[in-house]
Every structure is written in C-alpha cells, then in structure tokens.
C-alpha cells in the first residue's frame, strides 16, 4: 500500500517508513546519537529526493529533540546559558548553510553535494568509532589502565571575552561555544541532522562541561538549530511534507523511548562497533549509489495532482499559498508532538512506580 | 561415542582478537576504498 507524498511528489510505503524511523529511533535512544545521519540516507534510498529528505528529517529531529529536552528540563539537567551561546553560533552557521545549499541548488549540484557530505561524514565517524574500539581491544588484552590528563589546552581556550557559566561551573570565552555552534549549524542546514555527533564530544572535550548536563544541553541547542533549518527550508524551497513528517515523528518518538529503556537495561558499549560498521556500510551504499549506479534509473512513481486526496490537496495548497504559516505550523506541530511524548512517558513511569510500589507493599 | 579433537575452532579461539581486528580494518579499508576510488573516477 503506497502513499503519495504531495510535496516530495513520490510514492512511499508508510509501513516501511514507520518501521525504519522506529529502528533508527531505537538506535539513537540506545547509543545517544541523533538518528539524522542514518534516517536521511534511508529516505534517499527509498526514493525521496535528497533536498526533501534533508528538510523533512530536520523537522523530525525537532520533534524528537523537544521530547528529549523536555525530559531533561523536568530533571533539571540543562545549562541554558551555555546552550544559548551555542545557539547564537548555530543561527549564524545555519544561515551560512542555507546560503551554501541555495548556491548548490542553483547550479543543480545539491543532490551530489548532499551524497558526498554524507559518505565522507559517515566514513569519518565510522572509522573513528572503530579505531576507538580497536584501542579498547588492545587495552583489554594488555590490561592497560590509561591515565587521562586533567587539563588539555587548545588554542580555542585562549580566546578573549570570558564569562561565567554557573550551572556548568566554568569560566570560558563566549567565542568557544559560538564557534562550535557555527560548525553544527552549518552542517545541520546542509545535511538535515541535529549535529549531536559534533556537539556532544565538543561539549565534553573542548568546553569541558559536566557529563550529566551534556545530553540535555545538546538537545536544547538542536531544538533551535532544527527550528531555523525547518523554517528556512520551508519558506525558501517549500520542501516540508507534513505527511512524511507525521510518519517519521510517530516512528522515531516511539523508537527513541524504547531505545532509552533498552539502554538502561543493557550495556550498549560492546555494540558500538556494530553501529560503526552499520555507518560504514551506509557510507559504502551511498558511495555506490552516487558513483557507480547513476545509469540505473530508480523506479519512482510520479503522481499527478488528480491522484491527490483531500488531505494531500490541503497540504499542497497550504504550502504553496502560505509558505510562512505552513513553516510555522510544521514547527508547532513537531513541538507539540515532542512535548506530548515527553509527558506521556513521564506519566507512564509515574503510574508504573505507583503500581509497583502498591504491589510490593501488598506482598509485604 | 568419541569425538576427535577438532583443531580449527581452537585456532579460531586463539586468534579471536586477530580476526576481529582484521575484520575491522578491512571494513574501514573497503569503505574508504569505494569512496576514494569513486571520487577519483567521478571527478576525473
């Protein structure tokens, strides 16, 4: 049963998309990585044009990061001041990224650029993760306990305009988080990812934030970056397809919750090598698709406006007639879904605690 | 019933780390090989 996406103009199987986004959600909940750099290539493999895959995945990331960030807000594990500094850099980076995206779109090379960016980023991350696991194998074999240096100083720590970040107990230059945000925003705008794979190591090793504040603050930054990316893609290219977004958001929110629960019960560090190999395989498939399979035309069924049902016609009309409000609506839609998911999770865990406490008391 | 000592699985057990390492290195090599050759061929 295929569904026609009115904006992306392709037929997709909704069950396949729901399943894939749920699987990617489980992986991202389990390993604490954003699912963007896996889901966008999967959407491209399913026939969604890269420019549309990037924009819609950014909207999906917005919903999942709102959900995660609300949970961290409720637990008070968020450094707003540091987050806002990164967001300032992120906004500039996003604007630069959209400008670059427009340039490559105008010369007709955007699909190649997105594919190239993905294959190199996936290969680099996969290689780094595997090299780390090689080191761990050696250490385990030789029983080496590594002594880490307490303070490593890079050029970035010598920057001027220092300010206090009381929550993280840091005295840092404002330029450090701004430069990191700039890089994250630029990559997010071109590739449709949250950028957690850059942000999290940078927060731990460069900014030196306490580890308990890192996931919440990273998600907080991702909200703003993905809002800007979604909005700019929506008003510049009209590429947000709400039908696709609904499928992606539902699948990934359920998947992330399952992944986080799984992560609490099993030790996922041993599975990291498998995730790294998966990243490399996806990188190889993208490379093959870009370089060697150009002549094989993908069987993408294009539909006409006559095939559209009422809902699809409404989405298409809304997007074309009022792109500004359509962009705002898609952002609000993702935010509401994300907050709702976080509160549902909280009430379920409260209910379970209450129920289990009662049964334990009764058994005593 | 008597089973003879099988040597091959024991060898695999002894060289487990070597096999994992070789697998990891060849996965990295395959990925970078495809990407770099593809980039080189396409842009030439």
């Amino acid at each position: 049963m295929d569904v026609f996406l009115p904006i992306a103009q392709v037929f997709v199987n909704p069950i396949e998309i729901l399943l894939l986004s749920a699987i990617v959600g489980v992986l991202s909940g389990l390993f604490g990585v954003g699912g963007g750099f896996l889901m966008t290539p999967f959407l491209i493999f399913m026939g969604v044009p890269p420019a549309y895959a990037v924009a819609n995945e950014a909207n999906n990331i917005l919903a999942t990061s709102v959900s995660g960030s609300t949970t961290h807000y409720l637990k008070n594990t968020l450094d707003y001041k540091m987050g806002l500094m990164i967001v300032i850099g992120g906004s500039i980076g996003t604007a630069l990224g959209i400008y670059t995206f427009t340039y490559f779109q105008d010369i007709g090379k955007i699909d190649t650029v997105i594919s190239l960016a993905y294959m190199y980023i996936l290969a680099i991350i996969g290689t780094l993760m595997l090299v780390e696991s090689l080191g761990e194998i050696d250490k385990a074999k030789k029983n080496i306990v590594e002594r880490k240096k307490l303070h490593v100083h890079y050029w970035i720590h010598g920057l001027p305009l220092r300010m206090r970040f009381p929550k993280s107990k840091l005295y840092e230059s404002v330029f450090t988080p701004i430069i990191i945000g700039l890089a994250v925003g630029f990559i997010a705008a071109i590739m449709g990812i949250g950028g957690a794979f850059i942000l999290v190591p940078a927060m731990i090793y460069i900014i030196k934030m306490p580890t308990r504040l890192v996931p919440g603050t990273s998600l907080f930054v991702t909200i703003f970056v993905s809002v800007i990316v979604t909005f700019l893609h929506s008003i510049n290219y009209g590429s947000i397809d709400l039908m696709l977004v609904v499928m992606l958001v539902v699948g990934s929110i359920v998947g992330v919750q399952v992944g986080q629960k799984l992560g609490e019960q099993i030790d996922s560090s041993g599975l990291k090598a498998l995730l790294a190999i998966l990243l490399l395989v996806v990188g190889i498939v993208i490379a093959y698709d870009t370089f060697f399979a150009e002549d094989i035309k993908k069987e993408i069924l294009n539909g006409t406006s006559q095939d559209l049902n009422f809902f699809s016609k409404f989405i298409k009309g809304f997007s074309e007639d009022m792109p500004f409000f359509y962009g705002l609506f898609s952002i609000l839609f993702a935010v509401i879904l994300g907050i709702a998911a976080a509160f549902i999770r909280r009430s379920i865990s409260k209910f379970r605690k209450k129920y289990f406490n009662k049964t334990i008391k009764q058994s005593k | 019933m008597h089973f003879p000592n099988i040597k091959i699985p024991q060898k695999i057990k002894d060289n487990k780390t070597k096999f994992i390492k070789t697998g990891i290195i060849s996965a990295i090599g395959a990925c970078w090989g495809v990407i770099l050759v593809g980039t080189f061929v396409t842009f030439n």
Side-chain angles (χ1 to χ4, degrees):
Chain A
M1 186 197 73
D2 285 348
V3 168
F4 183 68
L5 300 176
I7 310 279
Q9 297 276 305
V10 284
F11 279 99
V12 290
N13 189 328
I15 298 162
E16 274 179 20
I17 291 196
L18 274 170
L19 267 177
L20 264 179
S21 61
I23 293 167
V24 172
V26 170
L27 287 177
S28 64
L30 193 59
F31 296 108
V33 291
F37 60 88
L38 276 175
M39 199 56 215
T40 312
F42 285 156
L43 284 176
I44 296 170
F45 295 151
M46 290 173 83
V48 178
Y52 291 89
V54 165
N56 288 288
E57 183 52 27
N59 204 355
N60 176 32
I61 288 168
L62 171 61
T64 45
S65 49
V66 164
S67 163
S69 196
T70 311
T71 311
H72 283 282
Y73 165 76
L74 297 170
K75 285 181 186 170
N76 196 24
T77 47
L78 246 166
D79 187 345
Y80 297 103
K81 199 174 175 185
M82 183 66 83
L84 282 174
M85 287 299 144
I86 302 173
V87 167
I88 292 171
S91 315
I92 303 165
T94 311
L96 285 174
I98 292 286
Y99 180 75
T100 315
F101 192 98
T102 311
Y103 170 74
F104 284 114
Q105 181 122 352
D106 290 346
I107 61 167
K109 293 277 178 201
I110 190 64
D111 290 356
T112 318
V113 168
I114 292 171
S115 302
L116 276 172
Y118 263 101
M119 70 181 82
Y120 276 96
I121 289 268
L122 288 173
I124 291 168
I125 302 167
T127 307
L128 289 175
M129 282 172 84
L130 282 179
V131 168
E132 200 187 331
S133 61
L134 273 180
E136 276 170 19
I137 290 171
D138 275 344
K139 269 183 230 160
K141 209 181 172 190
K142 292 170 189 167
N143 277 331
I144 298 171
V145 181
E146 197 185 354
R147 278 187 190 174
K148 282 183 183 168
K149 285 181 186 173
L150 280 176
H151 297 287
V152 184
H153 286 274
Y154 304 106
W155 61 270
I156 208 162
H157 297 113
L159 292 171
L161 272 176
R162 292 184 151 219
M163 73 190 298
R164 291 199 188 279
F165 295 94
K167 187 119 189 190
S168 299
K169 291 176 184 158
L170 286 170
Y171 184 56
E172 193 88 46
S173 165
V174 287
F175 291 113
T176 314
I178 288 176
I179 290 170
I180 292 164
L182 199 87
V184 170
F186 185 79
I187 292 174
I190 294 182
M191 297 175 69
I193 50 177
F197 71 94
I198 299 174
L199 207 49
V200 171
M203 280 170 155
I204 296 172
Y205 298 113
I206 299 175
I207 303 179
K208 294 181 172 45
M209 279 177 73
T211 322
R212 68 182 177 87
L213 297 176
V214 169
T217 314
S218 160
L219 286 168
F220 176 72
V221 172
T222 311
I223 292 175
F224 290 91
V225 172
S226 50
V227 160
I228 300 169
V229 174
T230 307
F231 191 66
L232 290 180
H233 271 285
S234 175
I235 57 168
N236 283 333
Y237 315 112
S239 47
I240 303 290
D241 196 314
L242 273 178
M243 276 177 80
L244 180 58
V245 172
V246 171
M247 294 179 228
L248 289 173
V249 169
V250 171
S252 58
I253 280 184
V254 174
V256 167
Q257 309 296 338
V258 175
Q260 282 175 345
K261 279 279 159 207
L262 268 177
E264 287 167 11
Q265 284 160 13
I266 59 168
D267 178 24
S268 61
S269 59
L271 298 173
K272 266 195 177 160
L274 285 178
L275 177 72
I277 289 173
L278 177 69
L279 297 184
L280 287 184
V281 170
V282 176
I284 292 174
V285 176
I286 297 176
Y288 179 78
D289 206 44
T290 314
F291 298 133
F292 306 110
E294 268 179 85
D295 298 332
I296 305 163
K297 295 272 177 202
K298 278 179 189 165
E299 224 178 280
I300 299 166
L301 301 163
N302 286 314
T304 58
S305 55
Q306 288 168 343
D307 303 327
L308 301 181
N309 57 27
F310 171 74
F311 186 58
S312 304
K313 272 183 189 162
F314 171 73
I315 288 176
K316 201 170 164 55
F318 190 15
S319 160
E320 283 169 358
D321 299 339
M322 291 183 272
F324 181 83
F325 290 105
Y326 183 77
L328 278 184
F329 179 76
S330 49
I331 289 167
L332 268 178
F333 177 73
V335 169
I336 290 167
L337 273 182
I339 294 174
F343 277 96
I344 289 170
R345 192 190 172 195
R346 194 176 159 86
S347 6
I348 289 174
S349 71
K350 267 186 177 174
F351 174 78
R352 279 180 62 186
K353 269 184 193 169
K354 213 177 173 183
Y355 178 75
F356 279 116
N357 282 348
K358 262 187 186 176
T359 45
I360 289 165
K361 275 179 188 171
Q362 277 170 0
S363 62
K364 277 179 183 175
Chain B
M1 206 169 139
H2 177 71
F3 285 103
N5 279 342
I6 305 165
K7 281 181 181 173
I8 298 164
Q10 191 56 40
K11 264 190 180 175
I12 293 173
K13 256 187 180 179
D14 293 342
N15 295 316
K16 203 175 102 185
T17 323
K18 264 188 191 172
F19 283 121
I20 294 171
K21 272 187 176 180
T22 318
I24 288 174
I25 291 165
S26 42
I28 295 172
C31 182
W32 281 105
V34 173
I35 289 174
L36 293 176
V37 168
T39 312
F40 183 76
V41 169
T42 309
F43 289 99
N44 271 310

